Amino acid sequence: MTLQQIKKTALVSLWFVFLTFPIMVIRVNTITQTITWRWHNMAFIALGTFFGGLLWRLALDRKPASARQAKQPEVLTEDPDVTDVKAESGIARRLGILRVKVAQKRTRRSLIALAVFSALLFPHLSSLYQTNIMITALIYVMLALGLNIVIGLGNMLHLGYIAFFAVGAYTYGLMHQYLGLGFWAALPVAAVLSTLAGILLALPVLRLRGDYLAIVTLGFAEIVRILLNNARNLTGGPAGISGIPRPSFFGMTMNLYQVSIYIYYIVLAAVVLTVFVVWRFENSRIGRALVAMGEDDIAAEAMGVDISRVKLTAFALGSLWAGIGGVIFASRTAFINPASFTVWQSIIVLSCVVLGGMGSIPGVIIGALGLILIPEYLRAFSDYRMLVFGAILVTMMVFRPGGLIQKRRRAYTFHVEEQK
Amino acid sequence: MSLILDVQDMTMDFGGLRAVNNVSISMEQNEIIALIGPNGAGKTTFFNCVTGVYTPTRGGISIQPPGGDRESIKGLKPSRITEKGLARTFQNIRLFPNMTVIENVMIGRHTQLKSGVLGAILRGPRTRAEERKVLEDSYEILKKLNLGHHVNDLARNLPYGAQRRLEIARALATEPFLLLLDEPAAGMNPQETRTLEALIRKIRDTEKVSIFLIEHDMSLVMSLSERIYVMDYGKLIAMGTPQEVKNDPEVIKAYLGEEVSA
Ligand SMILES: Nc1ncnc2c1ncn2[C@@H]1O[C@H](COP(=O)(O)OP(=O)(O)OP(=O)(O)O)[C@@H](O)[C@H]1O
Ligand SMILES: [Mg+2]
């Protein structure tokens, strides 16, 4: 713990005091028109964040110290003209790492199994209320995974993602209203339409980068929302579409509880499918090209990557999941209106991706679950709910700016066997 | 006699600035040629025009791959030009910094592979075989460039010299017939430069790749290239063997002028 770290922590807590000042210190009594200054709250926050921050830093310090020691010799072998001795020891060291990796793989497998298992059991062990929250959270997981293709892999700042969610939801809503079609008929149609909408948006923005792309995508989402708002004859405008049916199960009638569990399993299956597809995609030729394009588009193009094609693919594949998520969302809430598809929603999905860890599938999943579930479970703190939530977010970004779980590049091991 | 690259009267304007002025350069198969000139002469711009980053204002660029037909590549997208067999490196290294060394090379294999999105998701036997092959091929290329021990390192963690070699590895992975190197020795120490010289020769001799290089290191240029073109202020001022160029009064003036002003 150096003086500088202490200083930094102090600065952070000062920030907190500043940010929380209007809510925690000032209390306006609107009836008597007076202001109460609760200075003691300020002291609590200052001390609390300062010591909390110090503790956190201590915890962080202790971990990497050991990791750093193990890593150091690796860097030393990076001489371009390797002598035999060095290469030899390099291989030995890599063998050691390899063993760790196998062990990691085993833990990862069991972790995945555990996660899937508990996800399967979840609705039977918890209340209806919790199942419903979980459905929302899982829909956001899907959205975040989809957006992650564009933002995490392709490094393109996309602020209009929620528009495709709206396309999916309204596809179902309208198909039901005008054609009387059900959930399972709407699902593939919505998937196709949202993919097409993704391509439609991608075409004009192929040559844009960074901020410009962000502005155009933001504008696109607003256009879609305003369109839905104003096409009263078709969409019902701000009044939205109601009475959207739940998904059917071979014509069986289900009570509210059963239907919730059913939807839960549908969205869980959709999430598993999304994870599977995204995982395979990112480790494929096109996925790699997309990542390369995100890193340096000029270099990628010089390597023969057709940038336009890759961008179109990313937008199409990303939007697809939003469309499917939208149908599930509409069937769960039974009511949709443009207010569910505002820029704010886009920002939330974006936050899921960024906080969880751009480009990392587990990171994005945990980010989305956390971002949706934490505010729900913080309801116990009533008024302070959003405050605590905000504090968690700020702390996260201060201490882990790269996201909760950072993307690890795949390591290939064939060379070890070969050189042994 | 077949010219694998033939640039005719190429001009490139940036607004009012004529960066390349009526330049004609051509080369034959298996040649090593160099383009030199003072800073800002327009060398990199010339490369950028040939590789499709810019479309030249005027002039023609045509290629004839060994055993192929003559065709114009002017105005094609960079990715198409790479597909046709021209590969390049960048003056200011442009690797994919957060990808591993082998992934960088695998991107170079992009045009040699076929699998699309659906194939990737289903991952049938053909896709799997292709993926295995691209890994093996990429690793072979890495070994050739003495980068084998770096396979899983992030590109940005490589030492400078290794980054330069990785750029060459990545370019070679596209299976070019012509390799364009923009100041490959920049920032290298004399020993690294000597290794690089041997490497470039080896690439030409064993891989049958012709080499076109831009370089400021005169000793490297003089010993490596068979012919040298000299540019100054966008114009070609001399062309010939290293000996001829060295004694050309125009060239001496251009370089002396630079030294005086420096
Ligand atoms: N995209 C561009 N827009 C405007 N001007 C440019 C652009 N690219 C290059 N130039 C200008 O063209 C001229 C030639 O630049 P170029 O980079 O080709 O020189 P160079 O010979 O490669 O120099 P160096 O040896 O320093 O690399 C310079 O005056 C440069 O400022
Ligand atoms: Mg240059």
Side-chain angles (χ1 to χ4, degrees), chain B residues 69-182:
Chain B
D69 292 330
R70 172 155 302 282
E71 59 183 317
S72 166
I73 54 167
K74 186 185 170 189
L76 292 186
K77 281 200 276 189
S79 55
R80 292 285 295 140
I81 292 177
T82 305
E83 259 173 63
K84 293 199 180 293
L86 271 66
R88 71 173 295 183
T89 64
F90 294 89
Q91 180 173 351
N92 43 342
I93 301 178
R94 302 191 81 129
L95 292 167
F96 308 117
N98 296 310
M99 297 174 86
T100 61
V101 168
I102 196 156
E103 281 174 324
N104 267 271
V105 179
M106 283 159 83
I107 295 294
R109 303 293 300 165
H110 186 83
T111 51
Q112 306 293 324
L113 311 176
K114 285 189 206 61
S115 74
V117 177
L118 209 64
I121 292 163
L122 302 176
R123 198 172 284 180
R126 200 184 299 152
T127 312
R128 258 181 310 188
E130 190 181 272
E131 280 294 296
R132 196 166 334 118
K133 182 130 181 13
V134 65
L135 271 172
E136 284 164 11
D137 292 348
S138 304
Y139 185 57
E140 283 307 308
I141 295 168
L142 281 181
K143 278 203 297 195
K144 253 183 229 161
L145 286 162
N146 192 17
L147 286 167
H149 53 299
H150 283 304
V151 215
N152 289 325
D153 295 342
L154 291 185
R156 71 177 142 92
N157 292 338
L158 291 193
Y160 187 81
Q163 293 200 0
R164 285 250 173 241
R165 268 179 297 144
L166 179 54
E167 264 215 333
I168 297 178
R170 194 178 62 172
L172 280 180
T174 65
E175 297 194 359
F177 66 85
L178 171 58
L179 184 59
L180 302 121
L181 304 170
D182 197 345

Side-chain angles (χ1 to χ4, degrees), chain B:
Chain B
M1 192 173 65
S2 73
L3 299 173
I4 56 163
L5 175 71
D6 190 11
V7 178
Q8 284 300 329
D9 305 320
M10 188 171 83
T11 295
M12 179 72 210
D13 293 334
F14 293 113
L17 179 87
R18 182 151 290 182
V20 176
N21 191 352
N22 226 23
V23 170
S24 302
I25 290 180
S26 59
M27 69 184 292
E28 286 168 35
Q29 197 181 332
N30 263 335
E31 259 192 315
I32 297 182
I33 69 167
L35 176 59
I36 63 172
N39 289 112
K43 306 178 296 292
T44 299
T45 306
F46 178 85
F47 262 25
N48 282 339
C49 288
V50 171
T51 55
V53 178
Y54 305 132
T55 305
T57 318
R58 267 201 312 280
I61 311 166
S62 61
I63 55 164
Q64 181 167 21
D69 292 330
R70 172 155 302 282
E71 59 183 317
S72 166
I73 54 167
K74 186 185 170 189
L76 292 186
K77 281 200 276 189
S79 55
R80 292 285 295 140
I81 292 177
T82 305
E83 259 173 63
K84 293 199 180 293
L86 271 66
R88 71 173 295 183
T89 64
F90 294 89
Q91 180 173 351
N92 43 342
I93 301 178
R94 302 191 81 129
L95 292 167
F96 308 117
N98 296 310
M99 297 174 86
T100 61
V101 168
I102 196 156
E103 281 174 324
N104 267 271
V105 179
M106 283 159 83
I107 295 294
R109 303 293 300 165
H110 186 83
T111 51
Q112 306 293 324
L113 311 176
K114 285 189 206 61
S115 74
V117 177
L118 209 64
I121 292 163
L122 302 176
R123 198 172 284 180
R126 200 184 299 152
T127 312
R128 258 181 310 188
E130 190 181 272
E131 280 294 296
R132 196 166 334 118
K133 182 130 181 13
V134 65
L135 271 172
E136 284 164 11
D137 292 348
S138 304
Y139 185 57
E140 283 307 308
I141 295 168
L142 281 181
K143 278 203 297 195
K144 253 183 229 161
L145 286 162
N146 192 17
L147 286 167
H149 53 299
H150 283 304
V151 215
N152 289 325
D153 295 342
L154 291 185
R156 71 177 142 92
N157 292 338
L158 291 193
Y160 187 81
Q163 293 200 0
R164 285 250 173 241
R165 268 179 297 144
L166 179 54
E167 264 215 333
I168 297 178
R170 194 178 62 172
L172 280 180
T174 65
E175 297 194 359
F177 66 85
L178 171 58
L179 184 59
L180 302 121
L181 304 170
D182 197 345
E183 300 197 19
M188 286 190 172
N189 62 35
Q191 201 221 317
E192 285 175 318
T193 307
R194 238 171 294 130
T195 328
L196 177 77
E197 183 183 332
L199 174 71
I200 294 176
R201 270 223 183 80
K202 202 176 94 189
I203 291 172
R204 193 267 304 265
D205 295 341
T206 61
E207 312 287 316
K208 301 275 173 280
V209 178
S210 316
I211 309 274
F212 188 165
L213 92 156
I214 294 176
E215 189 46 71
H216 278 300
D217 185 320
M218 282 311 138
S219 67
L220 177 71
V221 170
M222 293 301 163
S223 63
L224 197 57
S225 10
E226 285 141 9
R227 278 186 312 128
I228 299 174
Y229 288 89
V230 190
M231 268 177 94
D232 193 19
Y233 292 110
K235 282 205 199 97
L236 217 51
I237 56 167
M239 189 274 274
T241 63
Q243 212 50 47
E244 287 166 359
V245 164
K246 221 185 279 181
N247 301 321
D248 190 305
E250 284 267 357
V251 179
I252 294 168
K253 207 173 84 195
Y255 274 90
L256 274 183
E258 193 199 24
E259 250 163 51
V260 168
S261 68

Side-chain angles (χ1 to χ4, degrees), chain A residues 279-390:
Chain A
W279 173 66
R280 285 233 161 143
F281 175 73
E282 73 173 22
N283 291 313
S284 74
R285 167 177 175 257
I286 310 278
R288 269 198 307 272
L290 179 61
V291 175
M293 188 204 78
E295 295 264 296
D296 186 330
D297 50 351
I298 292 184
E301 223 175 358
M303 289 302 111
V305 173
D306 186 342
I307 297 291
S308 318
R309 239 237 201 90
V310 170
K311 273 191 189 174
L312 282 179
T313 311
F315 270 85
L317 194 62
S319 317
L320 167 69
W321 305 112
I324 295 177
V327 176
I328 300 176
F329 172 77
S331 81
R332 185 189 94 89
T333 54
F335 165 74
I336 49 170
N337 75 347
S340 313
F341 310 104
T342 58
V343 171
W344 175 239
Q345 253 70 31
S346 281
I347 303 287
I348 290 184
V349 182
L350 178 70
S351 311
C352 296
V353 177
V354 174
L355 287 173
M358 293 215 289
S360 146
I361 294 177
V364 168
I365 294 176
I366 291 175
L369 287 178
L371 217 56
I372 306 304
L373 294 181
I374 291 175
E376 284 297 335
Y377 289 113
L378 284 179
R379 277 188 199 282
F381 293 84
S382 62
D383 288 350
Y384 298 115
R385 181 167 78 109
M386 283 334 247
L387 184 73
V388 175
F389 184 57

